Amino acid sequence: MTFQFLEEPVLRARDVNVQYGDSVVLENVSLSLQSGTLTALVGANGAGKSTLLHVLKGQLRPSSGSVYCDGDPIETCRERVVLMPQRSRIDWSFPISVRDLVDLGSMNGQAFGCCDREAAMQRVGLADLANRRLDELSGGQQQRALLARSLVQPSRMLLLDEPCAAIDPPSRDQLLLLMRQLADTGHTLLVSSHDWGEALDSYDRVIVVDRSVLADGPPAEVRRSLKGLVNPGNHHCG
Amino acid sequence: MDEIVFWLLPLLMALLVGILCPVMGTLLVTQRRVLQANLISHAVLPGLAVSVAFGFDPAVGGVISGILGSLLAERLQRNSKLNEEAVINTVLAGFLGLGVLLIPLLNLRLDLEALLFGDLLTVGWLDVGRVLVACLAVALLLGTRYRQLVYLGVDPEGAASAGLPVRGLRLAMSAVTAAVIVSAMAAVGVILVIGLLCAPVLPGLRRVRSLRAAMVQAAFVGLALSGGGFLLALPLNLPPGPLIGVACVVLLCPLAGRST
């Protein structure tokens, strides 16, 4: 099953393969993302989600296959795609305020993305906590701070690596609402997740991967097509 | 006049090192590169020995040797995917051993004890000059790369993703670390310098909201530790370097009590 669009994709991967020695991480992965959509990239641990995001960002060169952003090879336009890393990759004890973290998004004198620093903090609801240290924030607030930094970067194509991991359900819902608002205002978001629960319905589209693409389409359709393969009760956001 | 210089020069050296080491140490602690700094502090020895043997300034050889040690550890770790801590400590031991071997092999008359543990009371203007050069190197690094270093510290993956020269920044940090360690050698020695790089950073690190503020706070603590240690060592007739090293540990004890 594939998801058909008529519009030219913002980001497109064609026959991407990633292999480390004998270990195949991604096999013939092809997908395309349309502007202003919120897409979930779902799969178990080790299914290749993070690897795929790094390939789509142009940070990891695939063994074979290619990635294009607005029709250009990703190697020539990496700055057009923002990758928001997993929470575990950040040193939350680093002495830095929310405002200064968000400000790092405009590194190298790049032009602001959709908004400047203050507007980005406002947009994610952290303006009142701008002077707080990162380790004084809750998990959900930390994710929103990272998202605000992504908004300052000069790109509307956002790849989010498990932003819902290890945060409580209300924070997750808040984050999903925020991502929906961003998609509605023209951002394109690809969000990796373990979540097979109701949260999937918040997305326009779901791509299920396990080395290769197993299913691709609207949430309800993907659930139907994979019925029997997975037990939704065993999977949670995180 | 000579008597004043006898007192003032070591005191000036202690104060300068007391500021310089914690400022650099703040960068190393927040970038999680203390282990690399410890490696560099030991890896300077072979370069020092070779420089003395061939009549160069020992500081230059020490810096080069320190950088080489750091690069070797990084290369071994990257190529073999071996445990980072194990690789660093092995290279550290290897360079220290090489330094100790070179002294008799090159027929050198070096006071190994002074190199390892420092001798503040014998410092000269050249030593003060080396500290000032290291201060300049730190100021240059921070002045030109401050935001990049912050990015690298809080989110190394994001920094690489944003196109920052991560390897270049780490190499620059290694070079400046080596310069700081070699310059502080006369005061506290290459072994004890690690205490002055780390301890003053820790009391305030959890309270400040910027790397800059952490550096300022650490510099004040380092100044008190180093200056206080020196002034206490004189009436007690003890070597200042080791006393400052012990004071660093004493500083941490109340912090451990507070966190339990």
Side-chain angles (χ1 to χ4, degrees):
Chain A
M1 179 177 56
T2 53
F3 209 49
Q4 297 295 325
F5 289 96
L6 295 174
E7 197 185 329
E8 183 65 24
V10 179
L11 196 66
R12 185 155 56 98
R14 204 167 57 191
D15 298 326
V16 166
N17 289 279
V18 175
Q19 196 167 347
Y20 298 113
D22 294 337
S23 168
V24 177
V25 183
L26 292 174
E27 197 172 10
N28 292 327
V29 172
S30 295
L31 58 88
S32 53
L33 299 171
Q34 263 58 35
S35 176
T37 55
L38 177 59
T39 306
L41 180 66
V42 180
N45 281 333
K49 302 186 299 292
S50 292
T51 304
L52 180 56
L53 292 183
H54 282 84
V55 169
L56 293 174
K57 163 69 184 165
Q59 250 181 293
L60 179 67
R61 190 186 289 269
S63 309
S64 64
S66 44
V67 176
Y68 299 91
C69 182
D70 291 324
D72 300 319
I74 191 66
E75 295 80 15
T76 63
C77 55
R78 286 185 190 135
E79 70 286 352
R80 289 189 215 160
V81 180
V82 173
L83 173 60
M84 190 175 112
Q86 288 183 20
R87 265 184 72 209
S88 59
R89 304 286 188 181
I90 306 292
D91 180 1
W92 297 106
S93 65
F94 194 92
I96 187 171
S97 66
V98 173
R99 175 175 280 115
D100 288 343
L101 176 81
V102 175
D103 202 34
L104 292 177
S106 61
M107 183 61 76
N108 294 338
Q110 293 163 328
F112 289 123
C114 76
C115 40
D116 65 15
R117 180 186 65 191
E118 299 301 321
M121 287 190 296
Q122 194 81 44
R123 191 154 185 183
V124 302
L126 288 181
D128 294 340
L129 304 177
N131 293 320
R132 289 261 184 103
R133 271 178 66 113
L134 297 183
D135 52 11
E136 293 170 350
L137 303 179
S138 68
Q141 289 167 339
Q142 288 176 342
Q143 286 293 15
R144 282 188 279 145
L146 280 182
L147 191 54
R149 187 186 69 178
S150 302
L151 295 181
V152 174
Q153 290 176 254
S155 168
R156 287 183 165 261
M157 176 70 238
L158 306 180
L159 309 174
L160 284 69
D161 200 354
E162 301 197 13
C164 292
I167 61 173
D168 56 70
S171 298
R172 181 200 60 188
D173 293 344
Q174 202 175 6
L175 200 59
L176 282 168
L177 182 65
L178 189 58
M179 292 192 290
R180 162 55 53 203
Q181 289 167 351
L182 287 171
D184 290 344
T185 53
H187 283 83
T188 308
L189 295 95
L190 179 63
V191 183
S192 75
S193 171
H194 296 150
D195 194 0
W196 288 97
E198 289 173 5
L200 269 194
D201 294 325
S202 311
Y203 295 88
D204 298 317
R205 178 185 168 197
V206 176
I207 300 172
V208 183
V209 290
D210 187 7
R211 290 203 305 190
S212 57
V213 174
L214 298 183
D216 183 354
E221 204 176 300
V222 166
R223 271 211 193 85
R224 267 198 308 276
S225 71
L226 291 180
K227 212 171 181 182
L229 280 178
V230 292
N231 176 6
N234 291 338
H235 297 271
H236 304 282
C237 184
Chain B
M1 180 65 188
D2 282 351
E3 201 171 309
I4 294 171
V5 171
F6 174 78
W7 280 85
L8 281 185
L9 211 53
L11 180 60
L12 177 65
M13 182 75 173
L15 297 179
L16 283 173
V17 167
I19 295 170
L20 174 66
C21 286
V23 169
M24 189 64 208
T26 306
L27 198 55
L28 295 168
V29 170
T30 54
Q31 302 278 342
R32 299 176 186 273
R33 289 185 69 82
V34 172
L35 208 52
Q36 282 86 350
N38 199 29
L39 158 66
I40 291 169
S41 73
H42 291 75
V44 298
L45 272 182
L48 287 172
V50 171
S51 292
V52 171
F54 290 95
F56 297 116
D57 184 347
V60 176
V63 169
I64 293 171
S65 177
I67 294 170
L68 286 178
S70 175
L71 286 176
L72 177 66
E74 201 179 314
R75 194 169 183 85
L76 286 174
Q77 199 269 326
R78 197 175 54 238
N79 289 355
S80 58
K81 304 281 181 204
L82 293 171
N83 178 287
E84 187 184 13
E85 289 180 15
V87 169
I88 286 177
N89 282 308
T90 305
V91 175
L92 176 156
F95 270 70
L96 181 64
L98 180 63
V100 172
L101 285 176
L102 282 174
I103 294 172
L105 284 174
L106 296 172
N107 210 15
L108 299 173
R109 288 183 156 189
L110 278 179
D111 183 355
L112 195 58
E113 198 175 318
L115 281 176
L116 296 178
F117 307 112
D119 190 357
L120 257 174
L121 297 176
T122 62
V123 297
W125 285 109
L126 188 61
D127 299 308
V128 175
R130 285 190 189 117
V131 174
L132 292 175
V133 170
C135 285
L136 199 65
V138 173
L140 199 65
L141 178 68
L142 294 175
T144 57
R145 295 284 180 263
Y146 180 79
R147 282 186 76 206
Q148 294 188 348
L149 291 166
V150 169
Y151 207 152
L152 185 61
V154 72
D155 178 11
E157 200 177 290
S161 171
L164 300 194
V166 173
R167 286 188 67 189
L169 284 171
R170 287 190 173 143
L171 181 63
M173 263 192 289
S174 292
V176 175
T177 303
V180 169
I181 287 168
V182 167
S183 74
M185 190 176 58
V188 287
V190 292
I191 303 288
L192 297 174
V193 71
I194 203 75
L196 210 46
L197 282 168
C198 298
V201 181
L202 301 177
L205 193 58
R206 292 271 171 184
R207 289 197 297 267
V208 293
R209 293 174 196 286
S210 73
L211 183 63
R212 196 175 284 113
M215 285 174 171
V216 170
Q217 197 158 310
F220 278 113
V221 176
L223 195 65
L225 261 181
S226 192
F230 175 73
L231 293 174
L232 192 63
L234 286 181
L236 295 176
N237 199 23
L238 291 170
L243 191 63
I244 292 169
V246 172
C248 287
V249 180
V250 173
L251 176 76
L252 296 191
C253 294
L255 298 176
R258 205 186 306 159
S259 62
T260 51

